[in-house]
Amino acid sequence: QLRKEATGALEEMFVAAKKEDTPLAAVSGYRSYQTQKILYNKYVQRDGQEAADRYSARPGHSEHMTGLSMDIAGYDGKCAASDCFHDTKEAKWLKENAHKFGFILRYPPGKEEITGYKHESWHFRYVGKPLAKFIYEKDITLEEYYQEHVKK
């Protein structure tokens, strides 16, 4: 359940990846408030609120609620939404190519203090091709883009 423009771009990206022998799979797209609340509360119960806040958005604050974000894995499903995904060929392909389809790696490594979340090599956000290219080429986050170009 992604927005129409994000869905079309995601489909294009998946076709391109498959042509390069890197088939991808959608893991988690749109989430309702209630679904996010259940997930977040489960994480808080398991790991405590401070830890959960590093990797899960509170209900009402998840990018998944926008219909513009998708968690992506390899077609085999190994390491789906897991730290081990970072070292897969699919993660490397996404990091190098997602921007060509309008997606950004939303929580890149080394940017935790800026984004507020730990690195998630599987979480991509649709922002459109021009902005995705800009963010990719400058090696910045959406927060850094906003601070520099929108908030002024």
Side-chain angles (χ1 to χ4, degrees):
Q1 292 179 323
L2 291 180
R3 292 186 191 185
K4 185 177 179 179
E5 63 272 22
T7 298
L10 187 71
E11 289 170 353
E12 286 179 38
M13 184 166 68
F14 279 24
V15 167
K18 189 174 183 178
K19 284 181 182 175
E20 294 184 33
D21 196 32
T22 311
L24 302 171
V27 175
S28 179
Y30 172 79
R31 289 187 205 143
S32 69
Y33 178 91
Q34 189 60 31
T35 298
Q36 189 65 29
K37 181 178 178 182
I38 291 166
L39 286 171
Y40 179 78
N41 288 341
K42 180 179 92 173
Y43 300 145
V44 168
Q45 190 173 45
R46 184 184 70 197
D47 300 326
Q49 185 170 353
E50 186 176 333
D53 283 344
R54 289 189 59 239
Y55 66 84
S56 180
R58 293 182 181 199
H61 299 273
S62 173
E63 285 196 339
H64 287 281
M65 291 178 67
T66 68
L68 296 170
S69 292
M70 179 61 72
D71 292 343
I72 302 172
Y75 193 74
D76 62 9
K78 290 181 182 174
C79 295
S82 178
D83 290 340
C84 65
F85 183 67
H86 176 75
D87 294 321
T88 66
K89 88 175 190 179
E90 293 86 357
K92 291 171 184 162
W93 189 94
L94 284 162
K95 185 177 179 185
E96 294 171 9
N97 294 285
H99 69 281
K100 298 172 187 173
F101 304 91
F103 287 89
I104 58 169
L105 175 61
R106 188 61 183 88
Y107 305 116
K111 303 279 187 162
E112 292 84 356
E113 294 298 316
I114 297 166
T115 66
Y117 293 99
K118 73 180 190 92
H119 169 53
E120 292 187 352
S121 57
W122 60 87
H123 184 95
F124 288 82
R125 164 112 180 228
Y126 181 79
V127 295
K129 290 179 183 179
L131 182 53
K133 181 180 181 211
F134 183 86
I135 287 172
Y136 174 82
E137 289 176 351
K138 299 290 184 187
D139 193 26
I140 60 174
T141 64
L142 193 56
E143 287 81 4
E144 290 168 307
Y145 172 81
Y146 180 79
Q147 285 294 331
E148 183 67 28
H149 300 279
V150 178
K151 196 172 180 181
K152 287 185 171 185

